[in-house]
Amino acid sequence: VYLVESGGGSVQAGESLRLSCVASGFNFARYDIGWFRQVPGKERQGVACISGNDGRIWYRDSVKGRFTITSENAKNTLYLQMTNLDPDDSAVHFCGAYDPTLGGSYCMLSSNYDYWGRGTQVTVSS
């Protein structure tokens, strides 16, 4: 299983970025997949995810209305469109995946995930 993120960078507050995650080695359409972020010394937190069982999408409250998660199954690619970025969004952003048939019904919990990419840094300056 491989997950490779890209698209991070340094931007000013209010600007946008689009993250991509290319996946391989598993049934992308059937897995729960999501974006998480982490800053040093803090736990990895869910940003947005898609349930493989029913396609339901979840967002953390602080990004609702600003971020959009989408997937392109034909390309095994997950995206995160981030608009109106805020300095509090600065973090390493990771994509992850797990098989929901093996347990774990809520895709915003990092503890459910078996596979992770290496992450891409997002830095937002005020």
Side-chain angles (χ1 to χ4, degrees):
V1 173
Y2 291 97
L3 297 164
V4 181
E5 303 96 335
S6 63
S10 297
V11 297
Q12 297 291 315
E15 294 184 341
S16 301
L17 283 173
R18 188 174 85 151
L19 306 183
S20 299
C21 172
V22 178
S24 62
F26 63 96
N27 191 334
F28 182 81
R30 295 291 183 90
Y31 273 43
D32 282 18
I33 50 178
W35 288 99
F36 289 72
R37 64 190 184 190
Q38 189 170 22
V39 297
K42 294 191 175 182
E43 292 188 357
R44 192 167 295 188
Q45 59 178 219
V47 177
C49 65
I50 302 175
S51 169
N53 286 328
D54 57 12
R56 184 172 180 178
I57 291 175
W58 303 83
Y59 294 99
R60 71 179 298 106
D61 286 345
S62 64
V63 308
K64 287 179 180 178
R66 300 189 297 123
F67 291 10
T68 303
I69 186 172
T70 56
S71 64
E72 191 170 356
N73 292 342
K75 294 185 176 181
N76 281 4
T77 303
L78 182 69
Y79 302 98
L80 185 68
Q81 178 68 49
M82 304 185 294
T83 63
N84 193 21
L85 281 159
D86 183 271
D88 287 341
D89 297 317
S90 297
V92 179
H93 284 63
F94 299 89
C95 69
Y98 73 96
D99 184 350
T101 66
L102 299 181
S105 59
Y106 183 44
C107 61
M108 289 290 276
L109 289 177
S110 62
S111 57
N112 286 335
Y113 284 72
D114 297 313
Y115 307 109
W116 296 99
R118 292 190 174 185
T120 184
Q121 177 70 48
V122 172
T123 303
V124 185
S125 302
S126 58

